[in-house]
Amino acid sequence: MSFRGKNAVVTGGAGGIGLQVSKQLLTAGAAKVAIIDIQDNLEEFVKLRAAHPTQSVMIVKMDVANKKGVEATYEEIAKTFGSIDIVVNVAGIFNDKDVQRTLLVNLGGIINSTLSALPYMSKDNGGKGGIVINMSSVVGLDPMFIIPVYGATKAGILNFTRCLANDKYYARSGIKFVTVCPGATMTDMFTNFTEKIIFPETSDETYRILDRLNKQSAADVSRCILSVLEKDKNGAVYVIEGKRVFPMELKPQWTGKEQAL
């Protein structure tokens, strides 16, 4: 995939990995980028527009957990941009103590954004096709005792995205679906980490685990996400670890299922 002239949507684009993805897309030549986030980051948005004066940067303040709000947001983006080629869903939180909010934002938000984008991207509805990248995590692949709620949402994202990466749906819609699973990444999620876990008695062990992790920056992950976009492979799952991209081969475990329709 070439990014030049493409229109993209990034959820969670006000900071962290999402902001870095937005910067990378614009630097790579994307014509228009819409950032959806509940947070404000006016200073960074001003810098972003100043750095790319000939490109369009649209900012929409919206909670991805708000289904109707997200649907209206995509309608607004489609009217403004004319078409949508790329969606990168990054928006997420970490707070295992607030189970409902974690479920609604992490899993619900990615489902809301993905499904809201499809009518404007699908070829059978007048769109041009495109690609949706949803951000899971390595803890969506392998369990980690200290963050079970967060890990459950990331496992859900992985399965949701793989379900949509159906060859017959792609033939009709022209939309590809890819999952990325970053390892430990230094973002605001690490702030007050042990105050957000459901087993506070494990705080000492938690810090020992965090100290041992092979950490990377949000910019490292964003560069890897653009590399994944360039690969343009429907249904692929990638681990992003140590500033590198590793494709995952996930084999079927349930042999009794009927063939896909």
Side-chain angles (χ1 to χ4, degrees):
M1 169 178 280
S2 170
F3 303 113
R4 190 156 300 281
K6 294 293 194 299
N7 300 334
V9 178
V10 181
T11 69
I17 296 170
L19 178 60
Q20 294 300 323
V21 168
S22 301
K23 290 179 177 179
Q24 292 282 335
L25 284 168
L26 290 164
T27 299
K32 302 170 185 175
V33 174
I35 293 173
I36 303 173
D37 204 310
I38 196 172
Q39 304 294 332
D40 285 320
N41 195 344
L42 296 179
E43 184 178 346
E44 285 293 341
F45 295 155
V46 169
K47 289 179 183 177
L48 204 57
R49 284 172 167 151
H52 303 278
T54 64
Q55 294 152 281
S56 175
V57 180
M58 180 178 180
I59 310 298
V60 183
K61 186 172 182 179
M62 177 55 61
D63 182 356
V64 292
N66 179 345
K67 180 177 180 291
K68 290 186 177 180
V70 172
E71 289 172 348
T73 295
Y74 270 94
E75 182 179 7
E76 179 185 355
I77 292 169
K79 285 179 180 178
T80 303
F81 284 5
S83 62
I84 298 170
D85 305 296
I86 300 166
V87 174
V88 183
N89 286 314
V90 178
I93 63 170
F94 170 71
N95 188 346
D96 270 24
K97 285 187 175 179
D98 193 341
V99 175
Q100 188 73 4
R101 181 66 180 160
T102 299
L103 292 171
L104 287 173
V105 173
N106 290 9
L107 181 54
I110 279 190
I111 291 174
N112 290 340
S113 176
T114 301
L115 297 185
S116 296
L118 301 189
Y120 305 104
M121 298 178 72
S122 181
K123 288 182 176 179
D124 62 3
N125 199 42
K128 299 190 297 182
I131 186 168
V132 177
I133 288 192
N134 288 335
M135 197 171 76
S136 177
S137 167
V138 290
V139 299
L141 292 165
D142 295 322
M144 181 176 282
F145 170 74
I146 60 174
I147 48 175
V149 179
Y150 179 81
T153 64
K154 294 302 182 178
I157 292 166
L158 175 64
N159 199 30
F160 168 73
T161 311
R162 292 180 69 209
C163 284
L164 293 178
N166 176 280
D167 288 339
K168 290 189 177 179
Y169 180 69
Y170 170 69
R172 191 173 80 242
S173 69
I175 306 172
K176 297 179 180 180
F177 299 87
V178 177
T179 313
V180 292
C181 301
T185 307
M186 298 311 297
T187 68
D188 290 343
M189 283 192 182
F190 279 92
T191 305
N192 301 323
F193 192 87
T194 55
E195 295 177 10
K196 304 170 187 175
I197 59 177
I198 57 177
F199 302 112
E201 66 274 15
T202 67
S203 293
D204 290 344
E205 177 61 21
T206 296
Y207 275 121
R208 283 194 290 272
I209 291 172
L210 294 178
D211 286 342
R212 291 197 301 267
L213 293 177
N214 183 16
K215 301 177 184 66
Q216 56 199 345
S217 72
D220 295 329
V221 174
S222 72
R223 284 191 290 269
C224 289
I225 288 175
L226 258 71
S227 172
V228 166
L229 279 167
E230 288 175 336
K231 297 178 191 300
D232 203 26
K233 185 177 179 182
N234 192 33
V237 178
Y238 299 95
V239 168
I240 300 174
E241 186 78 76
K243 309 177 186 181
R244 296 173 61 196
V245 176
F246 302 92
M248 293 289 297
E249 184 180 357
L250 300 179
K251 297 180 179 180
Q253 302 298 316
W254 179 29
T255 57
K257 67 180 179 181
E258 295 181 6
Q259 290 198 356
L261 297 175

